[in-house]
Amino acid sequence: MKPFTYERAGSPQAAVASAAAHPGARFIAGGTNLLDLMKLEIETPAHLIDVNGLGLDQIEGTADGGLRIGALVRNSDLAADARVRRDYALLARALLSGASGQLRNRATTAGNLLQRTRCPYFYDSDLPCNKRLPGSGCAALGGYSRQHAILGVSEACIAAHPSDMAVALRALDAVVETLRPDGSTRSLALADFHRLPGETPQVEHALEPGELIVAVTLPPPPGGRHVYRKVRDRASYAFALVAVAVIVQPDGRGRVALGGVAPKPWRLEAAEAELPRGASAVATALLAEARTTRENAYKTLLVERTLAAALAEARS
């Protein structure tokens, strides 16, 4: 690990001011992903800003009947919150599908959204990776790609986003609230927060340098039946090969989001119009632009079967 300086910020304003004064600085809370990357010298920030003391760890109701989740709410606390379990069950189930109990006790809402891919070629500094070293190439394209993305990929990168929480938040129409170094605030729909790789896979989200996530807000509860299904190689502490989040209303309308298949949570609202025709029609619409390799082509069929099982459960 390369040397770095460290400070504890006393307020959100102080945190973003310090980030502006230290180009390349990183915010740290749980550190469940950042510290691993620092040990491998994939992330090499010269300055760390500890944001754990900023008071952003509350879950509060909003005036319109929604929910505001502080950036520092731990994943375990969010999954256990009575309002989340009752009104946003999809989120609670997705959170409990992620990582392990120990990691959920440390991981934060903002950190979960910002975690980086678990592509093995990204973690291996002896191999080319455009996320790690732009312009070096993508070893996964000609390598072992069983766990990689089939949607939203490019010639520069086929890595998948690892978050379960983000898939549920996408289905719930979440909005990310931020504070910029100049003191201004903004709100970003989660649909626009994560970026597809294109020719710049190292640019993974829409945050500006030094911009701090302060909360995630959810609109009023969508109602309906909530189901989250995750297919993985083992029952715990494993990332999704395919994950499906569905919300189905009594009249048959609903929402569908996928995980494990794209560089961001994957939802196509147009595909949801196919729900009355069944899982196969929805999957066909979702996968219309899929680009597979020999190792990950199985994911197209796995999406269809997992979606069918999730919809059957939601409609039962």
Side-chain angles (χ1 to χ4, degrees), residues 1-4 23-26 34 37-48 116:
M1 184 182 293
K2 292 189 175 182
F4 59 90
R26 293 292 305 272
L34 178 59
L37 294 173
M38 289 176 66
K39 291 173 184 177
L40 294 170
E41 297 189 5
I42 294 170
E43 295 270 8
T44 56
H47 188 68
L48 289 183
R116 306 199 68 185

Side-chain angles (χ1 to χ4, degrees), residues 73-116:
V73 173
R74 307 292 167 171
N75 286 178
S76 291
D77 294 334
L78 184 57
D81 186 87
R83 293 161 295 185
V84 174
R85 295 177 64 185
R86 181 187 66 237
D87 298 329
Y88 304 95
L90 187 66
L91 177 56
R93 292 171 183 174
L95 284 162
L96 293 174
S97 295
S100 64
Q102 295 93 329
L103 287 171
R104 292 194 296 269
N105 287 340
R106 290 296 302 165
T108 62
T109 299
N112 191 305
L113 290 177
L114 292 171
Q115 65 181 303
R116 306 199 68 185

Side-chain angles (χ1 to χ4, degrees), residues 51-69:
V51 295
N52 281 294
L54 304 189
L56 304 175
D57 57 354
Q58 302 299 310
I59 305 172
E60 303 167 313
T62 61
D64 66 353
L67 210 59
R68 187 174 188 269
I69 303 160

